[in-house]
Amino acid sequence: MFGYRVPAPDEAMLISGGRRGLGGAPFRVVTGHGKFVLPVFRKVRFLTLSMCEAEVTETCVTKQGISLHVRAVIAFKVGNDPESIINAGQRFLSDQEQMSVLTGRIFAGHLRSIIGSMTVEEIVTERQKLAAEVLDTSKTEMATIGLIVDSLQIQSIDDGDTGYIDAMSAPHKAAIQRQAQIAQAQATQAAVEAEQEAARKQAEYARQTAIVKAEYSAEVDRAQAEAAQAGPLAQAHAQQEVLAAQTELAERQAELRQQQLVAEVVKPAEAEAERVRILAAAEAQRMKIQAEAAASYDRVALDRMLIDQLPQIVKEAAGGLSGANVNVLNGADGLGEIAAGLVSQGLTILDSVRQNMSGQDKDTKADANTGATKGLLQLRSGKERTSDNGPVNVD
């Protein structure tokens, strides 16, 4: 539509004529939308809001008196607020290229000031600190002219032919070179070790392969040898089994023969010996019984003989008293006592003879007669002693 103007997204439309703008500005500011402008009565100008760039190349002297050639790049733009647009429009609307020139001069001055208070070491090692201090010192001046700084980059620092920076960096270069050499040596050593390890592994693999091949070959040879020996071994095992069976048969035959010998010779001999022993024992028992019977018969015969001779013994004793001078004091009782004494002596003689016969199992009947005869002689001796003693007085 005729008379309707719209600014670009990165522009501010400044309308002059008519009433004044904000803060008594000689124009009104329109951004982001269009505005109807009366032709002839109003005048429209546009101010860029896009990013601008200013480059600074300055020779600065450090705190140590060393000259440095510093190159920096500043990125700036007009502020988006109406106040910044008004300030920038009043200064740069007719010649907007002057924004970069003026910004470069402002930053060059602040850059010389800041570098003059720092050493070369600080400038080289702390570039970010240098940029931050330059921005802080220039912020107020840039805001006055309606500009804001987005960034400041120190691109290069050169000391020319003085060689100070090179000398300062020499120890670091030497250390870096030394580290590089060490790293190279370590890499070389690692490569050599890797090659040696690979060679060892190859040798170990070859050794294991040779061992496995030898084992396989030995197994094949062993299998072939076993196959070649299988027939003779089987025949030998069969012969061994035959010999073992024959040996067992011979042992069984020997055992059978031994049992036969025991049945034919030993058992009959043992039976004969047992028969002889039983017969001998029976004969000994028979002889013992016969001896005991004979001894018993002899004792019975002796007793009979003694009993048969007892009256004679008593008679002989009584006959001894016939010529003796015996005085009987008690009459018939005294005489009875004398007779009883004679009989008692005869019985004592008989008991003595029996005891002698019992102590001697092999005595004969003649010995018994001899004992009896000795008893009679003793009785006669007693009679004679009685006769010699004279009269016997009986109380």
Side-chain angles (χ1 to χ4, degrees), residues 49-357:
L49 300 179
S50 62
M51 181 67 65
C52 299
E53 181 181 294
E55 183 176 343
V56 177
T57 302
E58 192 70 22
T59 300
C60 307
V61 179
T62 65
K63 183 179 179 180
Q64 300 160 313
I66 299 173
S67 297
L68 297 178
H69 300 286
V70 180
R71 182 174 177 273
V73 177
I74 303 101
F76 67 95
K77 66 181 290 296
V78 177
N80 293 327
D81 59 290
E83 184 178 358
S84 297
I85 294 173
I86 292 172
N87 291 334
Q90 288 178 344
R91 290 169 176 82
F92 307 110
L93 184 60
S94 57
D95 189 4
Q96 297 185 27
E97 296 294 333
Q98 289 295 321
M99 287 189 296
S100 298
V101 176
L102 182 59
T103 300
R105 291 175 181 176
I106 292 173
F107 272 89
H110 288 291
L111 191 61
R112 286 194 302 270
S113 175
I114 298 300
I115 288 177
S117 63
M118 298 176 67
T119 63
V120 177
E121 288 80 6
E122 291 176 346
I123 295 170
V124 172
T125 58
E126 299 179 3
R127 291 190 180 187
Q128 191 64 32
K129 178 182 177 181
L130 173 61
E133 290 184 2
V134 171
L135 285 174
D136 288 340
T137 56
S138 62
K139 184 181 296 183
T140 302
E141 295 181 16
M142 295 294 289
T144 302
I145 61 176
L147 302 177
I148 58 175
V149 179
D150 288 339
S151 67
L152 170 63
Q153 296 294 331
I154 307 297
Q155 291 187 339
S156 65
I157 298 173
D158 186 12
D159 60 351
D161 297 333
T162 60
Y164 187 91
I165 296 177
D166 292 337
M168 184 178 66
S169 63
H172 300 286
K173 289 181 179 179
I176 292 173
Q177 290 177 357
R178 184 171 61 253
Q179 292 177 356
Q181 292 174 357
I182 292 172
Q184 182 63 34
Q186 291 177 350
T188 303
Q189 182 179 0
V192 173
E193 291 178 354
E195 291 178 358
Q196 294 177 353
E197 181 66 20
R200 283 196 297 269
K201 288 183 177 179
Q202 290 178 357
E204 179 65 20
Y205 178 76
R207 186 182 68 85
Q208 292 180 356
T209 303
I211 291 173
V212 171
K213 288 182 178 179
E215 290 178 352
Y216 288 161
S217 179
E219 289 181 0
V220 171
D221 294 341
R222 185 167 53 252
Q224 292 177 353
E226 290 178 354
Q229 295 175 357
L233 286 176
Q235 185 177 0
H237 285 305
Q239 293 178 357
Q240 185 177 0
E241 291 179 357
V242 171
L243 292 176
Q246 291 177 354
T247 302
E248 184 178 0
L249 179 60
E251 291 178 354
R252 291 184 178 180
Q253 290 177 353
E255 292 178 357
L256 180 60
R257 181 57 183 165
Q258 183 179 1
Q259 293 175 0
Q260 290 177 354
L261 291 174
V262 169
E264 294 176 357
V265 178
V266 177
K267 293 297 183 180
E270 290 179 354
E272 181 64 21
E274 183 67 18
R275 186 183 67 81
V276 172
R277 186 184 63 79
I278 294 172
L279 292 176
E283 182 65 21
Q285 186 67 22
R286 185 184 63 80
M287 294 177 67
K288 181 179 178 181
I289 294 172
Q290 289 178 354
E292 291 178 354
S296 177
Y297 177 77
D298 291 341
R299 284 194 296 271
V300 172
L302 180 59
D303 291 342
R304 287 181 179 178
M305 181 186 68
L306 292 176
I307 292 171
D308 292 339
Q309 293 182 2
L310 182 58
Q312 182 65 29
I313 292 170
V314 176
K315 181 180 179 181
E316 291 293 334
L321 293 177
S322 61
N325 185 13
V326 179
N327 294 321
V328 180
L329 300 180
N330 294 331
D333 292 334
L335 185 59
E337 289 178 359
I338 293 171
L342 294 175
V343 174
S344 177
Q345 289 180 2
L347 293 174
T348 299
I349 293 169
L350 180 61
D351 290 336
S352 178
V353 174
R354 287 178 177 175
Q355 290 177 1
N356 289 331
M357 291 299 295

Side-chain angles (χ1 to χ4, degrees), residues 17-39:
R19 60 182 184 179
R20 289 182 173 272
L22 181 64
F27 50 81
R28 288 179 293 170
V29 178
V30 178
T31 59
H33 60 86
K35 188 74 174 177
F36 183 78
V37 179
L38 292 175

